[in-house]
Amino acid sequence: MVDDVLRLKLALLGSAFRPGATLARTLAVVVLGLAVGAAIILLALEVDVRLAGHRAGLVIVASALAIALAVAPLSAGLGSALEPRRFASFPIPPRTLARGLGAAGAVGLPGLLAAVLGIGLELAWAGTPTAPAAIVAGALGAAAVILVSQHLVAIGAQLAASPAARRLVTGVARAVIVLALAVAATTVIVVQSGAEDDTLQAIAATLAATPVGLVWAAPEGEPALLLVRLLGGAVMVGVLVVGWGWLVARLVEAPQRTRSSAPAHGLGWFDLVPATPAGVIAARSLLYWWRDARYRVVVLALPVVPALMMLAFGAAGAPLPPLWLVPLPVLALFLGWFVHNDAAYDHTALWLHVAAPVPGAADRWGRCVPPLLLGVPLVLALAPLFALWSGVEGVLPALIGVSIGLLLTGLGVSSVASAIGAYPAARPGAGPFDQPPMLGVRAGWAQATALLATILFMAPALVVAIGGFAQPAWFAVAGVAGAATGFGMLLLGIVIGGRAFRRRAPELLDLVLRT
Amino acid sequence: MVLEVRGLRKSFGGTVAVDDASFTVRRGSIFGFVGPNGAGKTTTLSIITGLLRPDAGQVVVGGTDVWREPTTAKRKLGVLPDRMRLFDRLTGAQMLYYAAVLHGLDRSAARSRIDDLAVALGLDGSLDRPVRDYSVGMVKKISLAAALIHSPSVLVLDEPFESVDPVSTAQAVDLLTRFAAAGGTVVLSSHNMDLVERVCDSVAVIVAGRVLAAGTLDEVRAGSSLEDRFVELAGGRVAVEGLEWLTTFSD
C-alpha cells in the first residue's frame, strides 16, 4: 500500500515534466528549488559556528526556510495534492494510509529540500563536539517540516472547498514563502556585514524558545539545554506523527466536504466555518466586522489609540525604549473590551438568535471569534519586536502573556456584559460616530464596569509583570499568570454569559426594540 | 390542540397591550389572527414565539410550555416577526443558511432546502444579493423562507403578506395550504379580510388586547362576511362627523 502511494506520487511528479503549458512553471520551480538547495549547502559550508553571530544567523535562516518548506506544498495549488480525503473511497486502513502519505510527503521537492536543510545543519556543525547532536537535530527538523507540511495540506484541502478559498490558500502560502526567503536572505547579508549581532542573537534566542527554531538551535546549547531541545524536538515529531494518524483517520471517516454538485449560491465565509450555530455566528460576526462601519472604525482606531498613549507618555518625559511595552497590552485590552455591547449591535435582527434554539454559549463564542482572530496573531507577531525595542531583558513572555490575558479576559467580561449590561447602540448601517438618541447613564456604567472588571481580573498578573522590572525572573511568571487568567476568564465568561443570554434574550430584544 | 394560549397578559408602562387573551389552535389548521391597528396582534404573537416575555399567562406548543422550556418549544416553531430586521448585510442565501444552521440543520440539508425554497417562493434570482438591497415584499418572502427552513410543526407569521405582490402571495398561500394539509399548523395575522376568509379555516378577533371571538371561520362569521363581523366586533363604524370641510372642494 505504501508502495502504491509512493508510485502514485512519483507518477504525479513525472507528469509535471510532460510537455505542455505547465512545463515552464515546473522548470522554474525546479530551478528555484535547486538554487535554494545549493544555497543551503554553500551556506552550511561557509558558516563558522564558533562565532555567535553566525550561530544566530544559522538558527534564523534555518527557521525561515523550515517555515517556507512547510507551506511549500500548499503553494502549488491543491489540485493534485495527495491529501487523505482523496483516498476516502478506497478500503485502506487509515493507519496504512497515514504511513503511505507521510512517506509520499518526503518525496518531491519540498521533502528533498527539507532533507537538504537537515543535512545543512549537520555540515555546519561537522567537526565540532556537538556534531552527533547536530545529526539528530537535523533529522528531527527535516521530519518535523515534512510532517507539518502534510498536516497543512490536509487541513488546507479541507478549508479550500470553493475556488475562491483555494486561491486564498495558495496565495497565502506563496506570500509566506516569499517573506521567509526574504528574511533568510536579509539575515545572510546582515551576518556577513558583521553588524547587529545583538539583534540577531535576540531573534535567534526567541526562535529557539519556540517549536520553529527549537531543533535548529539544539547543537549550540550547553549539554543540558542541548538535551532538552533534542527531547523537545523528539516530542514535537512524536506529537506530529500521532496527530497525523488521527487527522487521516478523521478526514477519511468524516463526510465529504467538497461540494458534489455545482454550487447554486456561494455562501462566502459561511463555506469556511463549521455548520454549527457557533460557526455561522462567527462567520456572520466576521462579515460585520469586515463591512459594517461601526466595527470597521474600531479596527482602524486600534493602532491609533496605543500610539496616542505612547505620545502622551513620551511628552510627559518617560524614556522611550520601555514605552514600547505600552501599545500591545493597551490594544489587547481595547479590543477585548470593545465587544461588551455586541448583542445590541445586532439591533432587532437579534430575534433570529432568540427565536431559534441557539445555545447561549454558541452565541457568545461566535461573537468572540473576530477579535480573537484579529488580536491573537497581532500580539504574537508584534510582541517579539516590541520586546526587543523596549530593551528590557526577558520581558517577552510577560508582554505576550499579559497582552493575550487582557484580550481574553476582556472577551470573557464582554461575553457577560453584553448579555446582562446591554445598552442602546447605533443601528446597523449608521455612520461610525453616530450615537443612539437615548444613551443614558446605563451606557457609561456598562462601559466603565466592563473596563474596570477586565483590569481588576488581570491585576495580579499585571502586578507581577511590574515586579519583573526589579526582578526579571518575574516576567515569565507574569506571562504564565496572564495567559492562564485570560483562558480561565474567557471560558468562565462564555459559560456565565451564555446562561445569562439564554435567560435574558427576550429582555435584550425588548431593549433593542425600544431604541 | 397543537397551540394553547391561556390568560396572556402584557402591559407596557401604563397601557395594557394584551388583556387575558386565550385561544387554541388545532393541528393542521390555518389560523387567522385579525384585529385593528394596535389591538395587540404583534404583542400576542411575539409572546407565543418566545420573543417577548408575558406578565402572566401560558403558551403551550405541541405539549411544551414556551416560557418554561424555551429551547424545546423553539425547535417546533417557525417564526416570521413583523418589523424586525434581518442581518441585512448577508446575502439571501447566507441569511437562509444562517437561519437553517441556527436551527440545527447540517450543511447539505441547509443547501438543498435553500434551493427548494428559492424556487417555491420565487427568490431564485435574488439569493446572491445582500438582503439590504431587497424590497419590503422581498424581505417578507425571505423571512418566510427562513421561518420554514427547519420544517417546524407550527408556523407563526406576523403579517406575512404585507407588501407582497399578488403572484408571490398566491405562491406562498399554496405552500402554506400544502404545509397544513400535511399536518403542519399555521398561525398568521393579517389586515386583509378577504385573504383570511379565503385561506384560513379558523379565526380569532382581537380588539384592544382582548380576544372577542375565536373559533372556526363559520362560527366567527355567524352568517355575515368576516369583514362586517370584524367591524362590528371592533366597535362598529364610527359615524364621520365634523369633516364637512372635506366636502367643500377648494377649487
Side-chain angles (χ1 to χ4, degrees):
Chain A
M1 173 54 223
V2 177
D3 295 354
D4 292 332
V5 177
L6 282 179
R7 222 170 292 138
L8 179 60
K9 174 77 182 200
L10 289 174
L12 277 171
L13 287 177
S15 76
F17 287 97
R18 250 189 250 138
T22 56
L23 184 60
R25 211 181 73 177
T26 307
L27 289 177
V29 171
V30 168
V31 168
L32 177 68
L34 288 179
V36 171
I40 291 172
I41 298 294
L42 284 178
L43 286 171
L45 295 172
E46 192 73 20
V47 75
D48 184 352
V49 289
R50 282 165 304 177
L51 301 175
H54 279 213
R55 284 204 302 269
L58 175 64
V59 172
I60 299 170
V61 171
S63 300
L65 290 177
I67 290 174
L69 289 174
V71 300
L74 290 177
S75 71
L78 295 158
S80 59
L82 279 180
E83 48 110 355
R85 183 52 64 72
R86 284 176 195 276
F87 297 89
S89 57
F90 299 107
I92 311 168
R95 200 181 286 253
T96 318
L97 180 60
R99 237 176 321 168
L101 288 177
V107 178
L109 198 53
L112 186 70
L113 288 177
V116 170
L117 188 60
I119 294 168
L121 187 74
E122 291 153 25
L123 287 178
W125 288 91
T128 66
T130 49
I135 295 176
V136 178
L140 284 175
V145 166
I146 291 167
L147 281 165
V148 167
S149 75
Q150 291 304 296
H151 280 253
L152 288 178
V153 167
I155 294 166
Q158 289 314 294
L159 289 179
S162 68
R166 213 167 297 149
R167 276 196 299 276
L168 183 71
V169 168
T170 313
V172 169
R174 288 182 186 164
V176 169
I177 293 174
V178 170
L179 270 176
L181 289 181
V183 167
T186 315
T187 309
V188 171
I189 293 168
V190 172
V191 170
Q192 272 178 343
S193 72
E196 303 223 36
D197 262 13
D198 293 345
T199 315
L200 285 176
Q201 279 172 37
I203 297 174
T206 310
L207 280 172
T210 67
V212 179
L214 189 70
V215 289
W216 308 119
E220 70 176 45
E222 301 298 314
L225 187 60
L226 186 153
L227 216 62
V228 167
R229 281 178 179 162
L230 283 186
L231 212 62
V235 168
M236 178 166 73
V237 171
V239 167
L240 285 169
V241 168
V242 173
W244 177 238
W246 177 82
L247 189 66
V248 169
R250 209 185 119 88
L251 288 181
V252 170
E253 280 157 20
Q256 191 74 6
R257 181 147 191 295
T258 45
R259 292 195 213 104
S260 45
S261 60
H265 305 285
L267 291 177
W269 292 3
F270 288 83
D271 276 329
L272 302 177
V273 296
T276 60
V280 289
I281 291 169
R284 197 270 306 162
S285 203
L286 276 168
L287 214 113
Y288 270 71
W289 276 72
W290 189 259
R291 293 217 193 118
D292 194 304
R294 294 170 304 160
Y295 290 97
R296 236 174 11 196
V297 70
V298 174
V299 177
L300 294 178
L302 271 182
V304 178
V305 174
L308 284 180
M309 274 193 83
M310 276 186 75
L311 265 180
F313 277 125
L320 180 64
L323 274 187
W324 284 112
L325 298 177
V326 172
L328 270 188
V330 170
L331 185 147
L333 174 67
F334 185 53
L335 191 58
W337 169 81
F338 169 65
V339 290
H340 71 271
N341 198 27
D342 203 50
Y345 272 50
D346 293 351
H347 206 245
T348 48
L350 189 65
W351 78 265
L352 276 158
H353 293 204
V354 184
V358 181
D363 176 277
R364 307 286 96 183
W365 265 125
R367 293 173 192 280
C368 286
V369 165
L372 281 176
L373 275 185
L374 195 65
V376 172
L378 212 59
V379 168
L380 292 184
L382 292 180
L385 214 60
F386 285 3
L388 200 67
W389 288 342
S390 75
V392 180
E393 194 79 22
V395 78
L396 180 61
L399 186 59
I400 292 183
V402 165
S403 301
I404 295 282
L406 282 168
L407 174 65
L408 300 193
T409 305
L411 289 176
V413 168
S414 294
S415 291
V416 178
S418 73
I420 63 173
Y423 56 89
R427 286 156 175 270
F433 299 106
D434 286 353
Q435 289 292 342
M438 32 176 262
L439 202 53
V441 222
R442 203 186 148 97
W445 276 110
Q447 290 168 356
T449 312
L451 194 65
L452 283 179
T454 308
I455 295 173
L456 206 66
F457 287 133
M458 278 297 290
L462 286 169
V463 170
V464 175
I466 290 167
F469 287 98
Q471 181 65 43
W474 288 112
F475 279 137
V477 180
V480 174
T485 311
F487 278 110
M489 284 299 154
L490 180 60
L491 290 181
L492 205 63
I494 282 178
V495 170
I496 296 175
R499 291 233 178 104
F501 176 77
R502 218 41 280 182
R503 206 177 57 243
R504 288 183 34 87
E507 279 68 34
L508 284 173
L509 198 56
D510 191 42
L511 172 90
V512 291
L513 264 175
R514 279 187 282 118
T515 42
Chain B
M1 289 303 154
V2 72
L3 173 66
E4 292 169 66
V5 177
R6 288 189 215 111
L8 282 195
R9 212 179 275 281
K10 177 78 187 177
S11 50
F12 297 104
T15 47
V16 179
V18 180
D19 190 3
D20 201 19
S22 303
F23 58 91
T24 53
V25 180
R26 269 184 310 107
R27 182 181 303 280
S29 70
I30 302 184
F31 186 92
F33 203 54
V34 297
N37 298 328
K41 294 192 297 290
T42 296
T43 308
T44 310
L45 293 185
S46 299
I47 293 172
I48 291 176
T49 52
L51 297 180
L52 184 67
R53 200 186 294 279
D55 297 337
Q58 196 186 25
V59 182
V60 179
V61 174
T64 313
D65 189 316
V66 172
W67 288 96
R68 288 245 173 75
E69 297 169 68
T71 311
T72 320
K74 281 166 185 176
R75 272 184 237 288
K76 304 176 183 173
L77 283 167
V79 185
L80 187 167
D82 190 29
R83 308 236 166 97
M84 296 234 192
R85 279 167 189 277
L86 296 176
F87 286 107
D88 55 10
R89 281 174 195 274
L90 306 188
T91 65
Q94 286 173 333
M95 182 63 231
L96 291 181
Y97 182 76
Y98 194 65
V101 175
L102 287 189
H103 276 98
L105 263 64
D106 65 28
R107 200 181 296 269
S108 59
R111 278 190 163 283
S112 67
R113 288 186 187 187
I114 290 170
D115 295 341
D116 292 348
L117 284 169
V119 175
L121 290 170
L123 287 163
D124 222 11
S126 332
L127 279 190
D128 288 331
R129 277 193 294 137
V131 173
R132 64 186 322 193
D133 296 347
Y134 283 14
S135 65
V136 184
M138 284 290 294
V139 171
K140 284 279 178 194
K141 286 202 275 180
I142 199 104
S143 304
L144 180 60
L148 284 165
I149 200 156
H150 60 289
S151 60
S153 54
V154 179
L155 266 178
V156 181
L157 314 172
D158 197 356
E159 300 284 0
F161 303 122
E162 203 180 32
S163 338
V164 178
D165 66 86
V167 178
S168 302
T169 303
Q171 252 175 314
V173 166
D174 257 8
L175 200 141
L176 294 181
T177 318
R178 262 172 50 202
F179 174 77
T185 309
V186 182
V187 177
L188 61 87
S189 74
S190 181
H191 286 126
N192 186 337
M193 294 301 143
D194 288 340
L195 184 118
V196 170
E197 222 166 352
R198 196 153 42 79
V199 176
C200 301
D201 47 38
S202 321
V203 197
V205 180
I206 181 169
V207 177
R210 290 167 175 279
V211 177
L212 296 185
T216 64
L217 188 60
D218 290 329
E219 280 168 19
V220 173
R221 283 197 287 212
S224 60
S225 79
L226 184 62
E227 180 155 4
D228 288 344
R229 181 78 178 119
F230 172 75
V231 172
E232 187 193 321
L233 283 169
R237 280 180 226 280
V238 180
V240 178
E241 279 173 27
L243 280 180
E244 289 81 8
W245 52 266
L246 193 56
T247 50
T248 58
F249 304 105
S250 48
D251 53 7

